[in-house]
């Protein structure tokens, strides 16, 4: 589990990452993203909820698909006070298609394709690829960041046990 975005690689090759690192204990940055219906969705829509905020390169890649399905399954038995949000630069139409085809109902897929501010605000901007790095943030009901995991190798999955431990401590 990395608390910093300073060394992120893809297949062992270092990637340029832009944006300020989000730190545990800090107020989560606000965001404006696009939902699968093309409507704008802001962080205010999740106020009062415990949020697992996943940043993924693309839903149509094997690791992102596994991660999204895993979090969908992990939170399926938890209350509606928990929201999992997956953010990528995929088009909203692709996110809607994929979630429907895979039966993913507990993950809210949102796209940063339009505003392109999420990456820098959360320290996951991969400017040379035009994608977002893999990271997971757990945000409590008051909007404070309780867990940060900048996954150092983009092709690896996050530490699910640590994320779930942080999530459950917020309930």
């Amino acid at each position: 589990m990395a608390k910093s975005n300073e060394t992120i690689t893809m297949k062992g090759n270092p990637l340029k990452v832009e944006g300020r690192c989000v730190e545990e204990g800090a107020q989560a940055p606000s965001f404006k993203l696009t939902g699968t219906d093309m409507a704008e969705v802001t962080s205010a829509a999740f106020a009062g909820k415990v949020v697992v905020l996943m940043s993924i390169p693309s839903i149509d890649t094997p690791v992102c698909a596994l991660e999204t399905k895993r979090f969908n399954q992990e939170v399926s038995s938890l209350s509606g006070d928990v929201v999992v949000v997956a953010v990528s630069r995929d088009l909203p139409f692709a996110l809607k298609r994929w979630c429907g085809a895979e039966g993913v109902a507990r993950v809210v897929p949102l796209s940063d394709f339009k505003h392109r501010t999420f990456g820098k605000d959360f320290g996951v901007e991969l400017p040379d690829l035009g994608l977002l790095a893999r990271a997971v943030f757990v945000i409590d009901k008051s909007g404070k960041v309780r867990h940060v995991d900048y996954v150092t190798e983009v092709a690896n999955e996050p530490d699910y046990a640590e994320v779930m431990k942080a999530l459950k401590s917020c309930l």
Side-chain angles (χ1 to χ4, degrees), residues 49-54 70-85 106 136-141 144-148 159-171:
K49 304 278 187 185
V50 176
V51 179
V52 176
L53 186 61
M54 307 163 31
R70 174 78 180 261
F71 279 121
N72 185 68
Q73 177 185 4
E74 291 276 357
V75 302
S76 65
S77 63
L78 299 178
S79 76
D81 287 346
V82 176
V83 178
V84 178
V85 177
R106 282 296 307 262
V136 181
F137 310 92
V138 176
I139 303 165
D140 70 16
K141 292 179 181 183
K144 284 204 190 298
V145 178
R146 297 296 176 200
H147 175 80
V148 174
D159 185 335
Y160 299 109
E162 286 298 314
V163 173
M164 294 308 294
K165 180 178 163 187
L167 183 157
K168 289 176 180 175
S169 75
C170 295
L171 294 175

Side-chain angles (χ1 to χ4, degrees), residues 10 13 21 23-24 26 30 40 49 53 62 67 75 85 87 108 124 128 139-140 170:
M10 182 179 281
N13 299 311
C21 282
E23 295 181 14
E24 289 179 7
S30 60
E40 292 203 347
K49 304 278 187 185
L53 186 61
E67 179 181 354
V75 302
V85 177
V87 181
V108 178
V124 293
D128 296 337
I139 303 165
D140 70 16
C170 295

Side-chain angles (χ1 to χ4, degrees), residues 16-80:
K16 179 180 178 184
V17 183
E18 292 181 350
R20 195 175 126 253
C21 282
V22 173
E23 295 181 14
E24 289 179 7
Q27 201 66 19
S30 60
F31 56 81
K32 181 166 49 170
L33 299 161
T34 305
T36 59
D37 60 356
M38 294 300 288
E40 292 203 347
V41 178
T42 67
S43 47
F46 307 106
K49 304 278 187 185
V50 176
V51 179
V52 176
L53 186 61
M54 307 163 31
S55 170
I56 58 175
S58 176
I59 199 74
D60 282 318
T61 61
V63 177
C64 296
L66 283 171
E67 179 181 354
T68 305
K69 289 180 199 176
R70 174 78 180 261
F71 279 121
N72 185 68
Q73 177 185 4
E74 291 276 357
V75 302
S76 65
S77 63
L78 299 178
S79 76

